[in-house]
Amino acid sequence: MDAIDFSHHLSPISAARTPSPLKSLMKYMSMDGMISLAGGLPHPSLFPFVNIEAEVYSPGVYLPSNTSESDSELLRFNVHRNGRANGQVVDLATGLQYAPTAGFPWLLQYVRDFVRVVYQPAYKNFDVLMNDGSTDGWSKVVNLLCEPGDYILLEKYTFPSTQANWIPMGCKGVPLEMDAHGIRADVLERTLREWDNAHPGVKRPHILYVIPTGQNPTGCTMPVARKQEIYDICVKYDVIIVEDDPYYILQFDTYKLPSVANGHTAPPPPPSYDEAAFLDSLVKTFLSIDVQGRVIRLDTFSKTMAPGNRLGFFTCSPLFAERILRATETSTQAASGWSQSIVSELLHAWGPGLGGYLRWLSGLQSQYVIRRNWMCDAFAKEFDAVQEGDEVIVYGKGTRVKLLSFVPPQAGMFLWVKVYLSENKEYAGLFKSSSEDPETAFEQKLWQDIIDAKLLISPGRFYVAWEGEKKPRDAAERDIVHFRLAFSMTTKEKVDLAIQRLAGVLHHAWGLA
Amino acid sequence: MDAIDFSHHLSPISAARTPSPLKSLMKYMSMDGMISLAGGLPHPSLFPFVNIEAEVYSPGVYLPSNTSESDSELLRFNVHRNGRANGQVVDLATGLQYAPTAGFPWLLQYVRDFVRVVYQPAYKNFDVLMNDGSTDGWSKVVNLLCEPGDYILLEKYTFPSTQANWIPMGCKGVPLEMDAHGIRADVLERTLREWDNAHPGVKRPHILYVIPTGQNPTGCTMPVARKQEIYDICVKYDVIIVEDDPYYILQFDTYKLPSVANGHTAPPPPPSYDEAAFLDSLVKTFLSIDVQGRVIRLDTFSKTMAPGNRLGFFTCSPLFAERILRATETSTQAASGWSQSIVSELLHAWGPGLGGYLRWLSGLQSQYVIRRNWMCDAFAKEFDAVQEGDEVIVYGKGTRVKLLSFVPPQAGMFLWVKVYLSENKEYAGLFKSSSEDPETAFEQKLWQDIIDAKLLISPGRFYVAWEGEKKPRDAAERDIVHFRLAFSMTTKEKVDLAIQRLAGVLHHAWGLA
């Protein structure tokens, strides 16, 4: 089945784009014996770069089952000016020249294969094209679909840059309530059903932005059943879904408190790497249930290789891909030739096919599981923690004073900590009586105390989605504030010290120390 | 003197941008002893990249005075994960991490020094920031300054992508007549003076886009006297000048036909490289006369190193730089870490200071002079050519039939060929009598004949700037068409063959063969 026609979703600017006349010359360039004086290209012999030799990790280096020394030896590959003859998949003479806007052909084919095998789109004629990372990707989607005055459906808590892009354009947000599985389907349905009554004369939202795996900031992951419910509602109300999924590959097992798991912090390593089992363990994507071409999926190499690549890709219908291509021609033009060359040769060196890269991703996953566990374990050590259903409830050490809770994330990089203020005397007294917005005022004060203890975390209010031009009062619940703690970037020693500092501040602030 | 306040030029979208709240955390991250769990950064030990060893040309390789073997040996440098300790100016652990939006600090300082020494801005507090190449740069300037309905002043012939960016936004062009020195100052003055009468109720244009050196497509270069005239008019009418100058460094001596120069094609190589003389030979920039901060200058590494870098930089006032930075945060975020790392280490390896890079640029210039001469010489060989003032007039071989003319470019990559149709019988008969737009119809036919002879060149109509949504009839002069021939990309053998093929087609079409 092919994608259906969604051209009525295009913004007027996107619909008005025309191809460059110079593009019409392309087909002549490759004709036999043709001499082209048409393009203003520097001659590659005048590039200063002759060869790059890269040393990289082998794809199996991080697998828990990797015990052989040889497996962790460094691999080497070259990206030479004329390296195609020596088995390279790209060469610098073309890789550093003006290049196809959609991406390098070899890389596009690789990514297309990856999408087919890992995400399994439910329609046939999906297209892929490279971008300069997901922030660039989302910015291009906004320009593709949004015009001033549009309302965009999104999670109640979201990544701030998501909004920063379209608020200046005069677009508005419709924050949707979440539970442990992400956006609530009933809330989405009601919002759309009641839209015309609630917003007479205002265009109904036609875009849903969602971070389905290891959501930023809440860390929650949307199961496929919820995705299906949401997809069906989007079909009913003709909403385009933007699936921004940078943490997709960082999916974890369920965390168990050390005491529960008989003192073992991490689960024992799996006996061996099994590609089919790895693929099977990953939650199904929106793309996998998208029979219409209604989903625009954003992927990035930032979390799976390195953010400095500034390299990601869209998966979407041919119509959307073509319009994004037109917009790319007059803005970023193409992703960096260095990034595309080096990532291409790395994927090639890691071959055959997708095999090496999938092996790398599985190993990477295991590294983030360990980091998630370090952080959760540290809470269990510094406080009294018990597991209740999905949640870990955290009490003051040796007390029954409930300080905070979190759902140990099953994906991503973030722990979203919910702090309960009701038993804090200072809050109950000073802040609740004198402040218009006592939660935010106390959050600010507590956050500063934590800074003073030499620990930097993100205040929850940064992540509150809002509707209009002005950010409203913190939309958090009554007597509750949140903090986001990233476990991606720190060593075990530092995480232990960080949570110790946090515990010191909280015990003191609650009068427990 | 500092830049004056031009905030009234900002587009409403640009003026409305706010910094990400996450940026407010930056200042805490570098505090002594601080542990940060604030950023969602992957740990650099989880990047697969350990080291890159690059082989590059020495900066003197292309200097005509370079006769020593050792000078053209390859240089080697590393970009290692932890290479700062070994004298690298960047390392992959930070270079491939999320990075400052404005650019890598070392590279920004280098670029700032380059701007100060080479362009000599006339005001003090100019700022520089990196972008993803000049197409990205121009796109960001359009978003910075333009709103739908704005008119943009530009050269009568211009690079098509320049317009493709803002036409879908509903902006319009004001093409300005050019002479051999670029935009005519009197035409600019009259256009602005008469604007309100000619366009009652329409906002006067407040942006001038100009490619001052080796203009694309006409190849002309604007002398500083013309720049000063245009600058003064822009001050009078409060117009922001966007100086898009990718070919700045590719400036050449004046071309002499082989017969004139006693049979010598190229001038004898200079006795030695002299940095001060090289700098002194370059035409002064708009920036050098900009006492107000009214100029936004776009530079790129595409022509001086390689287009695949997708790396360029803005020079502009702090106000404009800050607004562009805000827009970059929510779109491209930062230029590729690979591009910035490798270009930084190359510039460092080529040191000391700006020395090596200036030497490289001087050598590069000499290579493009040779290529310009190859093409001009080939015309002299295949046709009868005479020099008249700035122009080379080209007649059919052994005839007095004037076929074409060109001004041998003193910069850039392009020869802009003016073809005279009045003595072509087919044009005078068939085309002039039957066609509404005989020039365009004949251009199309002639261009196809040239394609059939296995030569691809760009039709002049591609470069005609136009005012409104629909492209009008070709704005070329009566009985004249243009073609753009790039001399940048071809070997001498191919250029000779190309012009031979062109001569064959023209002689045949004019009944001279």
Side-chain angles (χ1 to χ4, degrees), chain A residues 431-451:
Chain A
F431 283 85
K432 280 197 87 162
S433 61
S434 69
S435 173
E436 200 185 311
D437 179 0
E439 287 87 358
T440 301
F442 190 78
E443 180 187 279
Q444 176 61 29
K445 188 249 172 206
L446 189 58
W447 179 75
Q448 190 59 54
D449 288 348
I450 296 168
I451 293 267

Side-chain angles (χ1 to χ4, degrees), chain B residues 68-275:
Chain B
S68 93
E69 274 298 308
S70 66
D71 222 12
S72 53
E73 271 175 13
L74 295 182
L75 293 179
R76 279 183 183 74
F77 61 81
N78 289 286
V79 197
H80 191 278
R81 180 194 288 269
N82 305 313
R84 295 288 279 281
N86 294 320
Q88 286 175 214
V89 294
V90 295
D91 60 66
L92 290 184
T94 49
L96 295 182
Q97 190 52 278
Y98 287 105
T101 298
F104 287 11
W106 188 91
L107 186 58
L108 276 180
Q109 186 57 50
Y110 190 97
V111 159
R112 184 184 294 276
D113 292 345
F114 184 88
V115 167
R116 188 178 290 115
V117 169
V118 181
Y119 305 142
Q120 303 171 19
Y123 68 107
K124 235 170 77 182
N125 64 337
F126 70 90
D127 216 341
V128 293
L129 70 162
M130 309 308 294
N131 58 41
D132 289 11
S134 287
T135 307
D136 175 57
W138 170 236
S139 156
K140 283 171 176 161
V141 170
V142 168
N143 288 307
L144 177 78
L145 299 175
C146 300
E147 54 184 319
D150 273 5
Y151 279 78
I152 297 171
L153 299 156
L154 76 174
E155 288 134 334
K156 178 182 173 178
Y157 299 104
T158 194
F159 181 50
S161 294
T162 299
Q163 301 211 123
N165 183 275
W166 43 261
I167 285 178
M169 282 175 63
C171 294
K172 297 184 175 188
V174 187
L176 299 169
E177 282 295 329
M178 305 167 73
D179 61 20
H181 293 163
I183 287 171
R184 280 171 46 187
D186 61 326
V187 172
L188 175 65
E189 216 284 334
R190 196 182 59 232
T191 302
L192 290 165
R193 178 167 24 90
E194 295 176 357
W195 185 265
D196 291 338
N197 281 334
H199 302 79
V202 176
K203 188 167 105 185
R204 203 173 60 207
H206 67 122
I207 302 142
L208 169 65
Y209 172 84
V210 57
I211 308 171
T213 319
Q215 203 258 355
N216 186 355
T218 67
C220 73
T221 296
M222 192 180 280
V224 68
R226 177 69 58 87
K227 283 175 179 156
Q228 186 70 58
E229 282 181 276
I230 286 183
Y231 185 81
D232 293 344
I233 296 164
C234 288
V235 169
K236 184 171 168 191
Y237 292 97
D238 192 17
V239 173
I240 300 296
I241 299 170
V242 183
E243 178 176 41
D244 183 8
D245 215 357
Y247 312 106
Y248 180 76
I249 223 68
L250 307 177
Q251 296 181 38
F252 318 137
D253 58 356
T254 304
Y255 176 77
K256 297 282 173 220
L257 278 174
S259 58
V260 180
N262 299 321
H264 288 297
T265 294
S272 67
Y273 169 70
D274 176 338
E275 184 177 296

Side-chain angles (χ1 to χ4, degrees), chain A residues 57-64 246-252 273 278 300-306 350 356-372 412-413 487-488, chain B residues 42-48:
Chain A
Y57 286 147
S58 81
V61 62
Y62 288 128
L63 288 174
Y247 311 106
Y248 180 76
I249 224 67
L250 307 178
Q251 296 180 37
F252 318 137
Y273 168 70
F278 171 61
T300 174
F301 288 103
S302 290
K303 309 304 193 282
T304 60
M305 289 186 186
W350 273 353
Y357 185 42
L358 291 174
R359 212 171 130 93
W360 166 260
L361 294 174
S362 171
L364 200 64
Q365 198 184 66
S366 70
Q367 294 299 304
Y368 282 95
V369 173
I370 292 170
R371 285 161 191 271
R372 182 216 37 196
M413 298 184 160
F487 53 81
S488 52
Chain B
H43 196 273
S45 68
L46 303 176
F47 301 165

Side-chain angles (χ1 to χ4, degrees), chain A residues 222-394:
Chain A
M222 192 182 279
V224 69
R226 176 68 60 87
K227 282 174 179 156
Q228 186 69 60
E229 282 181 276
I230 285 181
Y231 186 80
D232 294 342
I233 296 164
C234 288
V235 169
K236 183 170 169 191
Y237 292 97
D238 192 18
V239 173
I240 301 294
I241 299 170
V242 183
E243 177 175 41
D244 184 7
D245 216 356
Y247 311 106
Y248 180 76
I249 224 67
L250 307 178
Q251 296 180 37
F252 318 137
D253 58 355
T254 305
Y255 175 78
K256 298 281 173 223
L257 278 175
S259 55
V260 179
N262 299 320
H264 286 297
T265 294
S272 67
Y273 168 70
D274 176 339
E275 184 177 297
F278 171 61
L279 287 173
D280 206 47
S281 74
L282 300 170
V283 66
K284 298 275 177 237
T285 61
F286 270 109
L287 214 53
S288 75
I289 55 178
D290 179 21
V291 291
Q292 300 189 321
R294 176 179 292 286
V295 171
I296 302 177
R297 185 179 161 89
L298 302 177
D299 277 282
T300 174
F301 288 103
S302 290
K303 309 304 193 282
T304 60
M305 289 186 186
N309 289 312
R310 303 315 311 130
L311 190 65
F313 55 94
F314 301 97
T315 308
C316 60
S317 69
L319 170 80
F320 289 154
E322 189 272 343
R323 291 289 88 191
I324 292 171
L325 193 71
R326 292 286 89 80
T328 304
E329 282 167 5
T330 63
S331 56
T332 50
Q333 221 177 82
S336 158
W338 284 116
S339 301
Q340 290 194 75
S341 297
I342 293 170
V343 167
S344 294
E345 291 296 350
L346 173 64
L347 291 169
H348 179 64
W350 273 353
L354 304 176
Y357 185 42
L358 291 174
R359 212 171 130 93
W360 166 260
L361 294 174
S362 171
L364 200 64
Q365 198 184 66
S366 70
Q367 294 299 304
Y368 282 95
V369 173
I370 292 170
R371 285 161 191 271
R372 182 216 37 196
N373 292 353
W374 286 345
M375 187 173 277
C376 293
D377 290 354
F379 274 95
K381 187 175 160 224
E382 299 295 335
F383 299 87
D384 282 356
V386 297
Q387 213 145 4
E388 287 182 14
D390 290 337
E391 280 191 312
V392 170
I393 313 290
V394 173

Side-chain angles (χ1 to χ4, degrees), chain A residues 51 83 105 126 136 166 175 178 188 190 201 229 282 294 301-302 348 356 377-379 453 465 492 505:
Chain A
N51 185 41
F126 71 91
D136 175 56
W166 42 260
M178 305 168 74
L188 175 65
R190 195 181 61 230
E229 282 181 276
L282 300 170
R294 176 179 292 286
F301 288 103
S302 290
H348 179 64
D377 290 354
F379 274 95
K492 179 169 191 321
V505 174

